[in-house]
Amino acid sequence: MRETTYGRVGETERAAFRAGPVDGESAERLAANGLDYRRLAVDSDEYVGWLQSVARGFQDGERTAEQIAASRERSGYRRLTGVFDPESPMDAPVATIASWLGELTVPGEAMIPSCAISAVTVAPTHRRKGVARAMLEGELRAAHAAGVPMAMLTVSESPLYGRYGFAPAAAGASWRIETKRAGWIGPQPAGRIDFISRERVRELMPALHERVRHRRAGEIDVPHSHWDGFAGTNPAAEKTAEKRAVQYTDADGDVRGAAVYAVRENHDDFTKATVSVHYLLAETDDAYAALWRFLLELDLVAEVHAGELSVDEPLLWMIADQRAAKVSVRDHQYVRILDVVAALETRRYGGPGALVLDVSDPLGIAAGRYLLEVDESGAGRVRALGGEVAEGVTVMLGVAELSATYLGGVSLATLAAAGRVTVAGAGDGASDPLTIATRVLGWHTAPRLSIWY
Ligand SMILES: CC(C)(COP(=O)(O)OP(=O)(O)OC[C@H]1O[C@@H](n2cnc3c(N)ncnc32)[C@H](O)[C@@H]1OP(=O)(O)O)[C@@H](O)C(=O)NCCC(=O)NCCS
């Protein structure tokens, strides 16, 4: 992993972020409508109502006492905020939002501190009155004020967050593979696969993930509570018994990968069970090949389903019949640049060159003109230009479009063809300005994010 100026996030910074104040502007706006916008503590009585509001907001059932206890125990990493209506007869907020300071992997094997946002809900009784807007703007301004250069989230609905400057930056691919048709033509590694307990896989995954997440732009440091979800070790979770876990040990005896999956029988035809892959983590190409082969060759299984894969999985090239895999792609990891200099200096680039980026921002946070100069090694230096004149290729774009290209998930040429960015200036004789800008901002590997949050 590459060390950078903005670097990793320590526990002290995370705790300071959690304890930071709510945004004053949003608090005032909500107060003008009789609503109280404030943080709450995970160990307070208010947490119960907050959690019930989140569950109801996502059309889920009421949480049991056991689930509340398990959630409380695993939620200490989150900054919790609620919007309370003093007129409401319920002891629960009418809107919720959670966030935490995490690490986002960017092109070039570096990480940037990023404000992860989740649990955004507004009660149906208070919807479409600007409450979500106040919370989102508030959380972004609070993160910016705390010096956090980036924000990120995964979404329930696509149209919600572009208005705040977010853009889908890493797509997620869902696979349905007909196992009998696929035909394994990939490597057959020399290591071994073994079944392991759910407790063992719960222990293995965080360490394995720490060793691989810096390699793929779009991945984040996974909150520990999520591992209980994947492994089925959260005592309050349902259907944990159906989860099976395996590990891959290489020829030297080192564990290099693990997978958790569940099988659904087909009672009409016992040869047509379906496997759902909950999480597959591979540190080496061998581990990747061995784990996928194991899953595709399970007896009595006709289909394997897997989600949150990348759009360029090597797996496609390990099966004889590519049409055995139905792959659907959708927006998954959204990012939002808050500090253009920090964000652009942290990632690496596809080629050398100088670009003027003229960035607009609906919230004003990242707006400005910036000069990005990339050297032969792909490292970028960035300077805010203000009104200063600069020669060269100029890219005019919104912060959402800059965020969309940031992880290398979409090229500038595609955004230009879609009418989302404008490129002006002179070429260099060999290439036109759009080609130059596309090459500089490009990246060779598609980003991915293997979880929801
Ligand atoms: C999505 C949700 C949080 C919106 O809350 P809200 O308070 O009604 O939203 P606001 O009134 O602040 O609306 C803000 C903007 O988003 C738009 N908007 C809100 N919900 C939308 C939707 N479902 N689809 C498209 N646009 C939407 C509004 O039109 C408004 O646009 P504008 O300010 O640019 O004119 C709320 O409907 C909800 O809790 N949904 C269920 C849970 C969920 O899906 N949460 C999101 C998790 S990622």
Side-chain angles (χ1 to χ4, degrees):
M1 193 191 41
R2 192 163 49 82
E3 293 302 325
T4 64
T5 314
Y6 303 96
R8 309 288 300 269
V9 184
E11 194 36 57
T12 316
E13 288 156 282
R14 289 177 201 256
F17 179 76
R18 279 196 296 274
V22 294
D23 172 63
E25 194 179 324
S26 287
E28 261 178 45
R29 208 191 303 162
L30 289 164
N33 291 318
L35 300 171
D36 183 15
Y37 176 52
R38 61 183 149 84
R39 285 201 304 98
L40 56 121
V42 71
D43 51 7
S44 67
D45 291 344
E46 283 183 329
Y47 183 66
V48 178
W50 186 90
L51 194 65
Q52 298 294 16
S53 292
V54 174
R56 190 187 56 201
F58 286 109
Q59 311 296 9
D60 211 347
E62 203 170 288
R63 295 287 179 256
T64 62
E66 192 191 16
Q67 287 171 327
I68 293 166
S71 165
R72 198 196 291 275
E73 206 181 303
R74 289 165 176 76
S75 286
Y77 69 97
R78 301 197 286 183
R79 164 188 164 94
L80 309 166
T81 305
V83 175
F84 295 81
D85 182 345
E87 304 285 312
S88 164
M90 295 283 282
D91 203 7
V94 295
T96 60
I97 188 166
S99 62
W100 64 93
L101 192 52
E103 295 174 345
L104 169 70
T105 304
V106 304
E109 304 207 350
M111 298 184 195
I112 191 161
S114 187
C115 167
I117 293 177
S118 98
V120 176
T121 71
V122 174
T125 49
H126 289 67
R127 71 196 277 279
R128 307 301 182 267
K129 292 179 181 154
V131 175
R133 176 175 275 282
M135 293 195 300
L136 262 301
E137 289 186 1
E139 215 59 3
L140 291 175
R141 278 193 293 266
H144 180 59
V148 182
M150 200 76 179
M152 57 188 184
L153 41 76
T154 53
V155 309
S156 60
E157 287 192 82
S158 301
L160 298 179
Y161 296 103
R163 56 179 48 80
Y164 312 115
F166 283 95
S174 294
W175 281 54
R176 301 169 79 92
I177 315 165
E178 287 178 64
T179 56
K180 304 280 185 303
R181 189 176 161 187
W184 186 261
I185 55 166
Q188 308 204 1
R192 54 181 287 161
I193 299 270
D194 290 289
F195 278 101
I196 52 174
S197 67
R198 285 189 286 276
E199 289 68 28
R200 163 83 178 144
V201 81
R202 168 66 181 83
E203 245 176 63
L204 265 180
M205 284 194 299
L208 267 172
H209 188 258
E210 275 308 298
R211 299 204 294 271
V212 302
R213 72 177 162 103
H214 64 274
R215 295 191 205 150
R216 181 72 83 149
E219 293 285 6
I220 67 171
D221 53 333
V222 174
H224 279 248
S225 57
H226 282 52
W227 296 123
D228 278 331
F230 288 126
T233 46
N234 182 335
E238 289 160 9
K239 298 199 208 152
T240 55
E242 68 175 26
K243 294 200 171 170
R244 307 271 173 209
V246 287
Q247 69 180 23
Y248 172 76
T249 311
D250 69 13
D252 295 332
D254 294 316
V255 175
R256 299 295 190 187
V260 179
Y261 67 95
V263 188
R264 204 182 64 240
E265 292 175 275
N266 181 333
H267 292 288
D268 296 329
D269 183 341
F270 288 108
T271 67
K272 294 210 167 96
T274 303
V275 161
S276 296
V277 181
H278 291 291
Y279 206 84
L280 186 149
L281 199 48
E283 191 181 354
T284 59
D285 293 344
D286 271 7
Y288 179 91
L291 289 166
W292 277 115
R293 181 174 176 224
F294 170 83
L295 292 165
L296 295 190
E297 293 187 346
L298 284 169
D299 285 325
L300 305 180
V301 169
E303 274 201 15
V304 171
H305 298 178
E308 291 76 66
L309 302 184
S310 87
V311 296
D312 63 357
E313 287 294 332
L315 179 58
L316 195 63
W317 303 94
M318 294 173 161
I319 53 177
D321 183 346
Q322 293 198 348
R323 291 189 196 177
K326 299 273 178 296
V327 180
S328 53
V329 174
R330 69 172 171 206
D331 52 308
H332 184 45
Q333 168 75 303
Y334 279 62
V335 305
R336 201 278 188 213
I337 293 172
L338 295 168
D339 178 336
V340 175
V341 175
L344 295 187
E345 287 202 341
T346 304
R347 68 159 281 195
R348 286 285 159 101
Y349 294 89
L355 303 177
V356 175
L357 301 168
D358 191 341
V359 182
S360 60
D361 182 340
L363 307 187
I365 295 173
R369 291 171 65 250
Y370 303 87
L371 177 65
L372 165 67
E373 293 172 295
V374 178
D375 67 19
E376 288 293 334
S377 74
R381 288 189 46 110
V382 186
R383 189 156 64 80
L385 284 173
E388 195 183 321
V389 178
E391 297 291 308
V393 174
T394 298
V395 185
M396 280 152 287
L397 75 183
V399 69
E401 285 71 24
L402 185 61
S403 301
T405 74
Y406 181 68
L407 299 176
V410 61
S411 78
L412 202 72
T414 299
L415 292 178
R420 298 280 298 255
V421 307
T422 308
V423 179
D428 61 7
S431 307
D432 61 77
L434 178 57
T435 305
I436 295 170
T438 301
R439 194 166 50 225
V440 171
L441 293 176
W443 193 243
H444 51 71
T445 313
R448 103 167 242 202
L449 170 68
S450 50
I451 63 160
W452 288 85
Y453 55 93

